[in-house]
Amino acid sequence: MADTNVNLPPGFRFYPTDEELIVHFLHRKASLLPCHPDVIPDLELYQYDPWELHGRALAEGNQWYYYSRRTQNRVTGNGYWKPTGMEEPVVSSSNSKRVGEDATAIKTNWIMQEYRLSDSASSTRSSKRKPQPKSDYNKWVICRVYERNGEEDNGTELSCLDEVFLSLDDDLDEISLPN
């Protein structure tokens, strides 16, 4: 998949909200329903390092999107994705019901948001259509991967030069300069 935007009409961009990722893409994938446009590929999540996603996942700007099977194995060839422990509910904008979960994992300066359907969303939705095995809902996730830019550090990490200049600034009060 060299040109990942090939299925989108000219001028269209792929910038879905969390709710849209879950309701319009992941729910349909888990329910074995067609998804239009069908632009998000299936990938083995932990087989690739994040910098290897180009050409394999749907790229939009500096973000990559793909479906994967949910797994506890977060090891890649060069390390692992470390879960942050933060899992946030994704709620519907129309009725404020929980439609899924957003779990975040990090790997060096890369961030992966792993979206999954909530158990309540899967049981509610599957009862409206043909009964689907609950395991179908729990085995798929949709991932958004992006590289964290340096601006998100809020200046807490200083470069070596910054530290040198700051230490010089501390000593200037004690130094008397010639007139």
Coordinates of all heavy atoms in Angstrom, one line a residue, residues 35-86:
C35 N -17.1 -1.1 5.1 CA -16.8 0.2 5.6 C -16.4 1.0 4.4 O -15.5 0.7 3.6 CB -15.6 0.2 6.6 SG -15.3 1.8 7.3
H36 N -17.1 2.2 4.2 CA -16.8 3.0 3.0 C -16.5 4.4 3.5 O -17.2 5.0 4.3 CB -18.0 3.1 2.1 CG -18.4 1.8 1.6 ND1 -17.7 1.1 0.6 CD2 -19.5 1.0 1.9 CE1 -18.3 -0.1 0.4 NE2 -19.4 -0.2 1.1
P37 N -15.3 5.0 3.2 CA -14.3 4.4 2.3 C -13.5 3.4 3.1 O -13.2 3.5 4.3 CB -13.5 5.6 1.9 CG -13.6 6.5 3.0 CD -15.0 6.3 3.6
D38 N -13.1 2.3 2.4 CA -12.3 1.3 3.0 C -10.8 1.6 2.9 O -10.2 1.2 1.9 CB -12.6 -0.1 2.4 CG -11.9 -1.2 3.0 OD1 -11.4 -1.1 4.2 OD2 -11.8 -2.3 2.5
V39 N -10.3 2.5 3.8 CA -8.9 3.0 3.6 C -8.0 2.5 4.7 O -6.8 2.7 4.6 CB -9.0 4.5 3.6 CG1 -9.7 5.0 2.3 CG2 -9.6 5.1 4.8
I40 N -8.5 2.0 5.8 CA -7.6 1.6 6.9 C -7.2 0.1 6.7 O -8.1 -0.7 6.7 CB -8.3 1.8 8.3 CG1 -8.8 3.3 8.4 CG2 -7.4 1.4 9.4 CD1 -9.6 3.6 9.6
P41 N -5.9 -0.2 6.7 CA -5.5 -1.5 6.5 C -5.4 -2.3 7.8 O -5.4 -1.7 8.9 CB -4.1 -1.4 5.9 CG -3.6 -0.1 6.5 CD -4.8 0.8 6.6
D42 N -5.3 -3.6 7.7 CA -5.1 -4.5 8.8 C -3.6 -4.7 8.9 O -2.9 -4.9 7.9 CB -5.7 -5.9 8.6 CG -7.2 -5.9 8.5 OD1 -7.8 -4.8 8.8 OD2 -7.8 -6.9 8.2
L43 N -3.0 -4.6 10.1 CA -1.6 -4.8 10.4 C -1.5 -5.6 11.7 O -2.3 -5.5 12.6 CB -0.9 -3.5 10.6 CG -0.4 -2.8 9.4 CD1 0.3 -1.5 9.8 CD2 0.6 -3.6 8.6
E44 N -0.4 -6.4 11.7 CA 0.0 -7.0 13.0 C 0.6 -5.9 13.8 O 1.7 -5.5 13.5 CB 0.9 -8.2 12.8 CG 0.2 -9.4 12.3 CD -0.8 -10.0 13.3 OE1 -0.5 -9.9 14.5 OE2 -1.8 -10.5 12.8
L45 N -0.1 -5.5 14.8 CA 0.3 -4.3 15.6 C 1.8 -4.3 16.0 O 2.5 -3.3 15.9 CB -0.6 -4.2 16.8 CG -0.3 -3.1 17.8 CD1 -0.3 -1.7 17.2 CD2 -1.3 -3.1 18.9
Y46 N 2.2 -5.3 16.6 CA 3.5 -5.3 17.3 C 4.6 -5.9 16.4 O 5.7 -6.1 16.9 CB 3.4 -6.0 18.6 CG 2.4 -5.3 19.5 CD1 1.2 -5.9 19.8 CD2 2.6 -4.0 19.9 CE1 0.2 -5.2 20.5 CE2 1.7 -3.3 20.6 CZ 0.5 -3.9 20.9 OH -0.5 -3.2 21.6
Q47 N 4.3 -6.2 15.2 CA 5.4 -6.7 14.3 C 6.3 -5.6 13.8 O 7.4 -5.8 13.4 CB 4.7 -7.4 13.1 CG 5.6 -8.1 12.2 CD 4.8 -8.9 11.1 OE1 3.6 -9.1 11.3 NE2 5.5 -9.3 10.1
Y48 N 5.8 -4.3 13.8 CA 6.5 -3.2 13.2 C 6.8 -2.2 14.2 O 6.0 -1.9 15.2 CB 5.6 -2.5 12.1 CG 5.3 -3.5 11.0 CD1 4.0 -4.0 10.9 CD2 6.2 -3.9 10.0 CE1 3.6 -4.9 9.9 CE2 5.9 -4.7 9.0 CZ 4.6 -5.2 8.9 OH 4.3 -6.1 7.9
D49 N 8.0 -1.6 14.1 CA 8.3 -0.4 14.8 C 7.6 0.8 14.2 O 7.2 0.8 13.0 CB 9.8 -0.1 14.8 CG 10.5 -1.2 15.7 OD1 10.1 -1.3 16.9 OD2 11.5 -1.8 15.2
P50 N 7.3 1.9 15.0 CA 6.5 3.0 14.4 C 7.1 3.6 13.2 O 6.4 4.0 12.3 CB 6.4 4.0 15.6 CG 7.3 3.5 16.6 CD 7.7 2.1 16.4
W51 N 8.4 3.7 13.1 CA 9.0 4.3 11.9 C 8.9 3.4 10.6 O 9.2 3.8 9.6 CB 10.4 4.7 12.2 CG 11.3 3.6 12.7 CD1 12.0 2.6 12.1 CD2 11.5 3.3 14.1 NE1 12.6 1.8 12.9 CE2 12.3 2.2 14.2 CE3 11.0 3.9 15.3 CZ2 12.7 1.7 15.4 CZ3 11.4 3.4 16.5 CH2 12.2 2.3 16.6
E52 N 8.4 2.2 10.8 CA 8.2 1.3 9.7 C 6.8 1.3 9.1 O 6.4 0.5 8.3 CB 8.6 -0.2 10.1 CG 10.0 -0.3 10.5 CD 10.3 -1.7 11.0 OE1 9.5 -2.3 11.8 OE2 11.3 -2.3 10.6
L53 N 5.9 2.1 9.7 CA 4.5 2.2 9.3 C 4.3 2.9 8.0 O 3.3 2.6 7.3 CB 3.7 2.9 10.4 CG 3.6 2.1 11.7 CD1 2.8 3.0 12.7 CD2 2.9 0.8 11.5
H54 N 5.2 3.7 7.5 CA 5.0 4.4 6.3 C 4.9 3.4 5.1 O 5.7 2.5 5.0 CB 6.2 5.4 6.0 CG 5.9 6.2 4.8 ND1 5.0 7.2 4.8 CD2 6.5 6.2 3.6 CE1 5.0 7.8 3.6 NE2 5.9 7.2 2.8
G55 N 3.8 3.6 4.4 CA 3.5 2.6 3.3 C 2.7 1.4 3.7 O 2.3 0.7 2.8
R56 N 2.6 1.2 5.0 CA 1.8 0.0 5.4 C 0.5 0.4 6.1 O -0.5 -0.4 6.0 CB 2.7 -0.8 6.5 CG 3.9 -1.4 5.9 CD 4.6 -2.3 6.9 NE 5.6 -3.1 6.4 CZ 6.9 -2.8 6.3 NH1 7.3 -1.6 6.9 NH2 7.8 -3.6 5.8
A57 N 0.5 1.5 6.7 CA -0.7 2.0 7.4 C -1.3 3.3 6.7 O -0.5 3.9 5.9 CB -0.4 2.4 8.8
L58 N -2.5 3.6 6.9 CA -3.1 4.8 6.3 C -2.4 6.0 7.0 O -2.4 6.2 8.2 CB -4.6 4.9 6.6 CG -5.2 6.2 6.3 CD1 -5.2 6.5 4.8 CD2 -6.7 6.3 6.8
A59 N -1.7 6.8 6.1 CA -1.0 8.0 6.6 C -1.8 9.2 6.3 O -2.3 9.4 5.2 CB 0.4 8.1 5.9
E60 N -1.9 10.1 7.3 CA -2.5 11.4 7.1 C -1.8 12.4 8.0 O -1.8 12.3 9.2 CB -4.0 11.4 7.5 CG -4.7 12.7 7.2 CD -4.7 13.0 5.7 OE1 -5.2 12.1 4.9 OE2 -4.3 14.1 5.3
G61 N -1.0 13.2 7.3 CA -0.1 14.2 8.1 C 0.9 13.4 8.7 O 1.6 12.5 8.1
N62 N 1.1 13.6 10.0 CA 2.1 12.8 10.8 C 1.5 11.7 11.6 O 2.0 11.3 12.6 CB 2.9 13.8 11.7 CG 2.1 14.4 12.8 OD1 0.8 14.4 12.7 ND2 2.7 14.9 13.8
Q63 N 0.3 11.2 11.2 CA -0.4 10.2 11.9 C -0.6 9.0 11.0 O -0.8 9.1 9.8 CB -1.8 10.7 12.4 CG -1.6 11.8 13.4 CD -3.0 12.3 13.9 OE1 -4.0 11.8 13.6 NE2 -3.0 13.4 14.7
W64 N -0.6 7.8 11.6 CA -0.8 6.5 10.9 C -2.0 5.8 11.6 O -2.1 5.8 12.8 CB 0.4 5.7 10.9 CG 1.5 6.2 10.0 CD1 1.7 5.9 8.7 CD2 2.5 7.2 10.4 NE1 2.8 6.6 8.3 CE2 3.3 7.4 9.3 CE3 2.8 7.8 11.6 CZ2 4.4 8.3 9.3 CZ3 3.9 8.7 11.6 CH2 4.6 8.9 10.5
Y65 N -2.9 5.2 10.8 CA -4.0 4.5 11.3 C -4.0 3.1 10.7 O -3.7 2.9 9.5 CB -5.3 5.2 10.8 CG -5.5 6.6 11.3 CD1 -5.0 7.7 10.6 CD2 -6.2 6.8 12.4 CE1 -5.1 9.0 11.0 CE2 -6.4 8.1 12.9 CZ -5.9 9.2 12.2 OH -6.0 10.5 12.6
Y66 N -4.4 2.1 11.6 CA -4.5 0.7 11.1 C -5.4 -0.1 12.1 O -5.5 0.3 13.3 CB -3.2 0.1 10.9 CG -2.3 0.1 12.1 CD1 -2.2 -0.9 13.0 CD2 -1.4 1.2 12.3 CE1 -1.4 -0.8 14.1 CE2 -0.6 1.3 13.4 CZ -0.6 0.3 14.3 OH 0.2 0.3 15.4
Y67 N -5.9 -1.2 11.6 CA -6.6 -2.1 12.4 C -5.6 -3.2 12.9 O -4.7 -3.5 12.1 CB -7.7 -2.9 11.7 CG -8.9 -2.0 11.2 CD1 -9.1 -1.8 9.8 CD2 -9.8 -1.5 12.1 CE1 -10.2 -1.0 9.4 CE2 -10.9 -0.8 11.7 CZ -11.1 -0.6 10.3 OH -12.1 0.2 9.9
S68 N -5.9 -3.7 14.0 CA -5.0 -4.8 14.5 C -5.8 -5.7 15.4 O -6.9 -5.3 16.0 CB -3.8 -4.3 15.3 OG -2.9 -5.3 15.6
R69 N -5.3 -6.9 15.6 CA -5.9 -7.8 16.6 C -5.5 -7.3 18.0 O -4.3 -7.0 18.2 CB -5.5 -9.2 16.4 CG -5.9 -9.8 15.1 CD -7.4 -10.2 15.1 NE -7.7 -10.8 13.9 CZ -8.9 -11.3 13.7 NH1 -9.8 -11.3 14.6 NH2 -9.2 -11.9 12.5
R70 N -6.4 -7.3 18.9 CA -6.0 -7.0 20.3 C -5.2 -8.1 20.9 O -5.5 -9.2 20.8 CB -7.3 -6.7 21.1 CG -7.0 -6.1 22.4 CD -8.3 -5.7 23.1 NE -8.0 -5.1 24.4 CZ -8.8 -5.0 25.4 NH1 -10.0 -5.5 25.2 NH2 -8.5 -4.4 26.5
T71 N -4.1 -7.6 21.5 CA -3.2 -8.6 22.2 C -2.5 -8.0 23.4 O -2.4 -6.8 23.5 CB -2.1 -9.1 21.1 OG1 -1.2 -10.0 21.8 CG2 -1.3 -7.9 20.6
Q72 N -2.0 -8.8 24.2 CA -1.2 -8.3 25.4 C 0.3 -8.2 25.0 O 1.0 -7.6 25.8 CB -1.4 -9.3 26.6 CG -2.8 -9.4 27.1 CD -3.3 -8.0 27.6 OE1 -2.6 -7.3 28.2 NE2 -4.5 -7.7 27.2
N73 N 0.7 -8.8 23.9 CA 2.1 -8.8 23.5 C 2.4 -7.5 22.9 O 1.9 -7.2 21.8 CB 2.4 -9.9 22.5 CG 3.8 -9.9 22.1 OD1 4.7 -9.2 22.6 ND2 4.1 -10.7 21.1
R74 N 3.2 -6.6 23.5 CA 3.5 -5.3 23.0 C 4.9 -5.2 22.6 O 5.5 -4.1 22.6 CB 3.1 -4.2 24.1 CG 1.6 -4.2 24.4 CD 1.3 -3.2 25.4 NE -0.1 -3.1 25.6 CZ -1.0 -2.4 24.9 NH1 -0.5 -1.6 24.0 NH2 -2.2 -2.4 25.2
V75 N 5.6 -6.3 22.3 CA 7.0 -6.3 22.0 C 7.2 -6.1 20.5 O 6.5 -6.8 19.7 CB 7.7 -7.6 22.5 CG1 9.1 -7.7 22.0 CG2 7.5 -7.7 24.0
T76 N 8.1 -5.2 20.1 CA 8.5 -5.1 18.7 C 9.9 -5.6 18.5 O 10.5 -6.0 19.5 CB 8.3 -3.6 18.2 OG1 9.3 -2.9 18.9 CG2 7.0 -3.1 18.5
G77 N 10.4 -5.4 17.3 CA 11.8 -5.8 17.1 C 12.8 -5.0 17.9 O 13.9 -5.5 18.2
N78 N 12.5 -3.8 18.2 CA 13.4 -2.8 18.9 C 12.9 -2.3 20.2 O 13.1 -1.2 20.5 CB 13.7 -1.7 17.9 CG 14.5 -2.1 16.7 OD1 15.6 -2.7 16.9 ND2 14.1 -1.7 15.6
G79 N 12.2 -3.1 20.9 CA 11.6 -2.6 22.2 C 10.2 -3.0 22.4 O 9.8 -4.1 21.9
Y80 N 9.5 -2.2 23.1 CA 8.0 -2.5 23.4 C 7.3 -1.2 23.6 O 7.8 -0.2 23.9 CB 7.9 -3.4 24.6 CG 8.3 -2.8 25.9 CD1 7.4 -2.2 26.7 CD2 9.6 -2.8 26.3 CE1 7.7 -1.6 27.9 CE2 10.0 -2.2 27.5 CZ 9.0 -1.6 28.3 OH 9.4 -1.0 29.4
W81 N 6.0 -1.3 23.4 CA 5.1 -0.2 23.7 C 4.7 -0.3 25.1 O 4.2 -1.3 25.6 CB 3.8 -0.4 22.8 CG 4.0 0.0 21.4 CD1 4.2 -0.9 20.4 CD2 4.0 1.2 20.8 NE1 4.3 -0.3 19.2 CE2 4.2 1.1 19.4 CE3 3.9 2.5 21.3 CZ2 4.3 2.1 18.5 CZ3 3.9 3.6 20.4 CH2 4.2 3.4 19.0
K82 N 5.0 0.8 25.9 CA 4.7 0.8 27.3 C 3.4 1.5 27.5 O 3.2 2.6 27.2 CB 5.8 1.6 28.0 CG 5.6 1.7 29.5 CD 6.7 2.6 30.1 CE 6.4 2.8 31.6 NZ 7.3 3.8 32.2
P83 N 2.4 0.7 28.1 CA 1.1 1.3 28.4 C 1.3 2.4 29.5 O 2.0 2.3 30.4 CB 0.3 0.2 29.0 CG 1.0 -1.1 28.6 CD 2.4 -0.7 28.4
T84 N 0.5 3.5 29.3 CA 0.6 4.6 30.2 C -0.3 4.4 31.4 O -0.2 5.1 32.4 CB 0.2 5.9 29.6 OG1 -1.1 5.8 29.1 CG2 1.2 6.3 28.4
G85 N -1.2 3.4 31.3 CA -2.1 3.1 32.4 C -3.3 4.0 32.3 O -4.3 3.8 33.1
M86 N -3.4 4.9 31.4 CA -4.5 5.8 31.3 C -5.4 5.3 30.2 O -5.0 5.0 29.1 CB -4.1 7.2 30.9 CG -3.3 7.9 31.9 SD -2.8 9.6 31.5 CE -1.8 9.3 30.1

